[in-house]
């Protein structure tokens, strides 16, 4: 089934195309047939079939092959059109790709990029799984522009990167301009200023945080919104600054709460902005439940703009 | 096969086809603004049209046997005796579905019917059948566990590991690959490479034409006899799948058309009797779909149920955690 490509998917596809044109070492390895790799046919026509490899549904194998190819000098982009399939490849991601530079005493790097495309609700915990692995970089684009720039940047990194794409409704903040880099690799960005509360998020939750901030603004409450962009490297400088200014911060994650990445962000903000805090850092995340296929339950499981606004409102008003 | 059995098999297949057409219709609506589609997630319920001959395997299984399927196993579940209204309800994300709406197209199952789960992940359910066979064997129950999967499954390492374990431990297992034209290993289109690999593991191998339900039944029956005494088998159901997109395809390889002509040639059923079966299947599935769509989505309370066993504490809901935190601050 072919679906119209979203601006987010178009931007990511263009990033792959531009990276392949710029660097001959870039090769794409992905399973046959599914949505996110459909443009693979165009890439094969332009760059040749030896640089666009269609694999059967052998996720552990194809990521493992990408690891070896990266060690031997290629720059493989391994595609997982369904992010929940990352589970099958997890040994190669976490125990092999992320560890080999260290385990071999720095003799080799594994500069592969894994592109995991997550439909709504799929693989909610993937960011946290991956961010917990030393040696693995994690990018979480929230906009078409970042879908482009973070993928381009990822394909220039010396170490393995997983780019987790959740484009259910991406931030359409700027026209996608391949020549303009809105922020450098590893830098977070402030999407909205506000002195009453700071909302820190990443990936598809950024759009919801911005919607929540709009609602709060109509009530006379100004929320800063910080998009982390990458979880590793993790740049909390703008979040610390915005939190210090507001004295209160809400960290919003689309993954389950327990053991999730919101906890890491909250802990670090507490350590770094403690002297400025009027209230403890608050986390808002998905319920600690597995994914299901019932839309009503999936909607209820993950924070939406209304729930983000409600939590931010209570936090901003507490003790004042 | 006895006439009455072949008629019953045809009825299974015809019901599968009628179910499939409506399941795909549901899928096409998913994500649309249509209120009826509002409750279900997209990306489920692939077409199974053309694969109905696998129903022969379901008729060969005993009532106590167990099985797992893949993401095109809805028809097999139906052939096993599932209630189509509850299946449609599950597809549409309704609380009345077989898994309360949580499993959807790919996971839906009824353990009471021996079905231990479909699976969205290729090959992931195959080791579960091996484990079930281990349980049956250790409890000295005369039961077989079957794993049904597709060509995508065969490209997963875990499937080959499962085949080896079943052979190593001599488990009562039947592996059934339902072939799909144009999917899987492009360098092994006729499947001889697969059979060579499976034979090398030491499994008993049978091959059946995927448009001939009777042949599938006979081959499954032979393999099941071996499996029951600890000789796991592998049934390769060759691709039939002529029914592109579910429309009427090449009648010479459509399993329904083939079985229909066999029934007539043998005098097992006349045109009129078969037409009646067709019409009944259509009527039954239309009514089942209508019944499913008036069901409600799962109750919001279902969100936190079944994460852990009944009686165990449910996860702390986000709202009560926030209420507690802010209440403590106010106190």
């Amino acid at each position: 089934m072919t679906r119209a490509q979203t601006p987010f998917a178009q931007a990511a596809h263009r990033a792959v195309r531009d990276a392949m044109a710029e660097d001959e070492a870039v090769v794409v390895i992905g399973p046959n047939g599914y949505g996110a790799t459909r443009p693979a046919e165009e890439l094969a026509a332009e760059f040749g079939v030896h640089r666009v490899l269609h694999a059967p549904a052998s996720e552990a194998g194809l990521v493992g092959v990408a690891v070896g190819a990266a060690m031997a000098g290629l720059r493989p982009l391994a595609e997982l059109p369904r992010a929940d399939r990352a589970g099958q490849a997890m040994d190669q991601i976490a125990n092999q790709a992320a560890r080999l530079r260290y385990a071999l005493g720095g003799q080799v790097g594994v500069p592969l990029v894994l592109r995991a495309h997550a439909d709504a609700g799929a693989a909610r915990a993937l960011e946290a799984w991956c961010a917990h692995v030393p040696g693995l970089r994690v990018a979480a684009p929230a906009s078409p522009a970042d879908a482009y720039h973070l993928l381009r940047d990822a394909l220039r990194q010396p170490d393995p990167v997983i780019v987790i794409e959740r484009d259910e409704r991406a931030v359409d903040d700027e026209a996608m301009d391949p020549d303009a880099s809105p922020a450098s690799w590893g830098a977070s960005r402030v999407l909205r200023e506000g002195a009453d509360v700071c909302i820190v998020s990443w990936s598809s939750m950024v759009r919801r945080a911005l919607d929540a901030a709009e609602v709060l603004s109509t009530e006379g409450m100004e929320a800063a919104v910080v998009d982390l962009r990458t979880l590793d490297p993790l740049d909390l400088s703008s979040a610390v600054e915005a939190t210090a200014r507001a004295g209160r911060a809400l960290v919003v994650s689309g993954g389950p709460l327990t053991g999730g990445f919101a906890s890491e962000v909250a802990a670090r903000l507490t350590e770094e902005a403690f002297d400025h805090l009027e209230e403890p850092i608050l986390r808002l995340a998905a319920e600690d439940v597995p994914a299901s296929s019932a839309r009503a339950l999936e909607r209820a499981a993950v924070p939406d703009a209304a729930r983000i606004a409600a939590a931010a409102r209570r936090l901003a008003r507490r003790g004042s | 096969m006895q006439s009455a059995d072949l008629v019953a098999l045809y009825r299974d297949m015809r019901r599968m086809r009628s179910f499939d057409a409506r399941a795909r219709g549901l899928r096409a609506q998913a994500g649309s603004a249509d209120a009826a589609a509002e409750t279900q997630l997209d990306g489920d319920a692939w077409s199974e049209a053309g694969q109905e001959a696998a129903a022969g395997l379901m008729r060969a299984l005993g009532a106590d046997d167990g099985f797992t399927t893949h993401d095109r196993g809805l028809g097999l579940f139906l052939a096993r005796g599932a209630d189509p209204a509850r299946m449609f309800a599950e597809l549409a994300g309704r609380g009345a579905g077989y898994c309360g709406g949580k499993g959807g197209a790919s996971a839906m199952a009824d353990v009471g019917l021996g079905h231990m789960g479909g699976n969205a992940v290729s090959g992931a359910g195959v080791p579960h059948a091996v484990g079930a066979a281990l349980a049956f064997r250790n409890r000295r129950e005369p039961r077989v566990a079957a794993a049904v999967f597709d060509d995508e499954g065969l490209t997963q390492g875990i499937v080959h590991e499962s085949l080896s374990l079943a052979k190593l431990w001599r488990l009562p297992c039947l592996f059934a690959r339902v072939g799909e034209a144009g999917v899987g290993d492009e360098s092994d289109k006729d499947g001889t490479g697969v059979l060579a690999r499976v034979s090398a593991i030491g499994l008993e191998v049978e091959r059946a034409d995927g448009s001939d339900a009777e042949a599938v039944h006979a081959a499954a029956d032979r393999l099941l006899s071996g499996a029951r005494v600890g000789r796991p088998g592998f049934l390769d159901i060759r691709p039939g799948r002529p029914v592109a997109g579910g429309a009427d395809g090449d009648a010479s390889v459509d399993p329904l058309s083939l079985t229909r002509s066999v029934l007539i040639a043998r005098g097992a059923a006349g045109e009129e009797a078969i037409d009646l079966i067709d019409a009944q299947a259509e009527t039954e599935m239309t009514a089942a779909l209508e019944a499913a769509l008036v069901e409600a989505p799962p109750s919001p309370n279902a969100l936190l149920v079944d994460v852990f066993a009944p009686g165990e504490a449910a996860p702390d809901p986000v709202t009560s955690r926030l209420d507690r935190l802010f209440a403590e601050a106010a106190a």
Side-chain angles (χ1 to χ4, degrees):
Chain A
M1 178 180 278
T2 319
R3 283 180 223 161
Q5 278 207 315
T6 60
F8 194 103
Q10 285 169 4
H13 175 56
R14 191 160 160 203
V16 176
R17 194 246 147 228
D18 290 356
M20 292 186 80
E22 180 184 275
D23 182 353
E24 271 195 7
V26 175
V27 296
V28 177
I29 307 176
N32 293 324
Y34 288 111
T37 49
R38 179 87 49 186
E41 288 149 27
E42 287 168 39
L43 297 175
E46 183 172 0
F47 299 107
V49 290
H50 62 295
R51 291 182 64 194
V52 183
L53 293 115
H54 284 218
S58 305
E59 287 81 6
L62 80 86
V63 175
V65 168
V67 171
M71 291 168 73
L74 288 183
R75 207 168 252 294
L77 172 66
E79 302 234 9
L80 295 175
R82 290 164 62 173
D84 44 7
R85 298 282 179 101
Q88 288 151 297
M90 211 61 199
D91 175 63
Q92 290 296 329
I93 297 169
N95 301 327
Q96 309 298 331
R99 179 172 171 263
L100 276 166
R101 178 189 291 281
Y102 193 80
L104 298 186
Q107 296 178 71
V108 293
V110 187
L112 78 82
V113 174
L114 205 69
R115 197 178 151 209
H117 180 85
D119 283 334
R124 281 205 286 267
L126 189 57
E127 283 89 343
W129 285 13
C130 291
H132 198 60
V133 176
L136 181 63
R137 303 295 193 186
V138 182
S143 67
D146 261 353
Y148 180 86
H149 291 292
L150 287 177
L151 194 49
R152 287 300 309 271
D153 288 345
L155 284 163
R156 296 185 186 111
Q157 297 307 306
D159 293 306
V161 183
I162 182 165
V163 181
I164 301 170
E165 298 179 356
R166 300 181 188 275
D167 63 345
E168 51 185 87
R169 190 183 152 219
V171 176
D172 42 4
D173 51 351
E174 59 230 278
M176 200 272 297
D177 176 3
D179 299 321
S181 189
S184 54
W185 172 255
S188 60
R189 59 179 183 165
V190 180
L191 294 176
R192 199 176 193 289
E193 302 280 358
D196 295 320
V197 61
C198 168
I199 305 177
V200 184
S201 197
W202 57 90
S203 189
S204 56
M205 288 297 117
V206 171
R207 172 76 263 168
R208 298 177 184 205
L210 285 170
D211 290 347
E214 286 298 319
V215 171
L216 294 172
S217 184
T218 62
E219 301 166 10
M221 198 176 291
E222 294 304 327
V225 175
V226 177
D227 174 10
L228 293 179
R229 301 180 67 243
T230 56
L231 308 188
D232 192 323
L234 180 59
D235 168 30
L236 284 180
S237 56
S238 47
V240 168
E241 209 170 289
T243 300
R245 195 145 76 92
R248 320 169 176 227
L250 172 68
V251 187
V252 181
S253 164
L257 178 76
T258 303
F261 198 72
S263 306
E264 181 63 32
V265 173
R268 287 179 187 245
L269 286 179
T270 304
E271 289 165 353
E272 298 194 27
F274 187 74
D275 290 344
H276 304 277
L277 291 183
E278 294 165 12
E279 294 293 336
I281 309 285
L282 188 66
R283 296 166 298 157
L284 183 65
E287 303 283 359
D288 284 332
V289 301
S292 85
S293 68
R295 190 181 288 269
L297 297 183
E298 285 300 288
R299 280 198 185 128
V302 180
D304 59 13
R307 273 170 274 170
I308 296 169
R313 193 180 292 122
R314 291 170 91 172
L315 181 63
R317 287 181 182 156
R318 181 157 70 178
S320 60
Chain B
M1 191 176 253
Q2 302 277 330
S3 291
D5 292 337
L6 192 58
V7 170
L9 186 51
Y10 177 81
R11 186 188 306 277
D12 287 349
M13 294 162 68
R14 195 61 190 74
R15 291 174 74 240
M16 290 163 79
R17 181 72 59 88
S18 298
F19 179 90
D20 184 74
R22 287 160 184 80
R24 276 184 294 110
L26 265 182
R27 185 192 178 207
Q29 292 168 16
S32 74
D34 186 332
E38 186 51 8
T39 54
Q40 86 215 42
L41 289 178
D42 200 358
D44 295 323
W46 309 100
S47 171
E48 299 172 10
Q51 297 186 321
E52 291 88 354
L57 164 64
M58 303 315 281
R59 287 225 160 241
L61 286 176
D64 291 332
D65 293 338
F67 64 102
T68 62
T69 63
H70 56 121
D71 62 359
R72 289 186 207 253
L74 295 179
L76 298 179
F77 185 30
L78 182 71
R80 178 67 171 187
D83 171 359
R86 289 188 68 195
M87 292 183 71
F88 283 128
E90 186 64 35
L91 280 179
R94 309 300 159 107
Y98 267 106
C99 308
K102 288 176 174 172
S106 49
M108 124 174 30
D110 180 357
V111 175
L113 288 173
H115 190 5
M116 295 162 53
N119 216 302
V121 177
S122 317
V126 175
H128 307 166
V130 178
L134 175 66
F136 299 159
R137 198 268 315 262
N138 283 13
R139 287 198 301 258
R140 299 178 190 285
E141 297 166 351
R143 303 163 72 186
V144 170
V148 184
F149 50 95
D150 57 8
D151 290 290
E152 272 209 344
L154 271 181
T155 61
Q156 295 285 355
I158 198 165
V159 169
H160 295 274
E161 294 170 30
S162 301
L163 300 175
S164 299
L165 291 172
K167 168 65 182 168
L168 177 67
W169 295 330
R170 299 193 185 92
L171 296 176
C173 249
L174 174 61
F175 301 95
R177 169 238 200 161
V178 181
E180 291 167 61
V183 178
D185 185 347
E186 285 292 304
S187 70
D188 183 31
K189 284 186 177 162
D190 65 355
T192 51
V194 166
L195 288 193
R197 271 182 271 165
V198 171
S199 304
I201 290 172
L203 298 183
E204 316 232 330
V205 176
E206 292 263 1
R207 200 162 217 208
D209 176 352
S211 51
D212 185 346
E214 207 176 5
V216 170
H217 178 272
D221 209 41
R222 290 190 293 271
L223 288 172
L224 283 165
S225 310
R228 289 193 200 285
V229 293
R231 294 199 310 271
F234 186 97
L235 174 58
D236 180 26
I237 303 176
R238 299 298 305 148
R241 255 189 117 58
V243 193
D248 288 337
D250 177 356
S252 66
V253 281
D254 181 338
L256 287 182
S257 312
L258 189 75
T259 307
R260 184 187 180 101
S261 40
V262 171
L263 284 173
I264 292 166
R266 285 191 204 158
E271 292 270 4
E272 274 183 23
I274 300 173
D275 287 346
L276 182 62
I277 291 174
D278 293 359
Q280 284 170 338
E282 288 288 299
T283 308
E284 179 196 5
M285 295 308 156
T286 298
L289 179 58
E290 280 172 10
L293 291 182
V294 299
E295 295 290 345
S299 135
N301 298 333
L303 182 63
L304 299 163
V305 175
D306 289 332
V307 178
F308 295 109
E312 299 287 324
D316 188 16
V318 167
T319 46
S320 26
R321 179 176 143 266
L322 292 180
D323 286 347
R324 198 174 60 243
L325 290 176
F326 286 101
E328 280 166 9

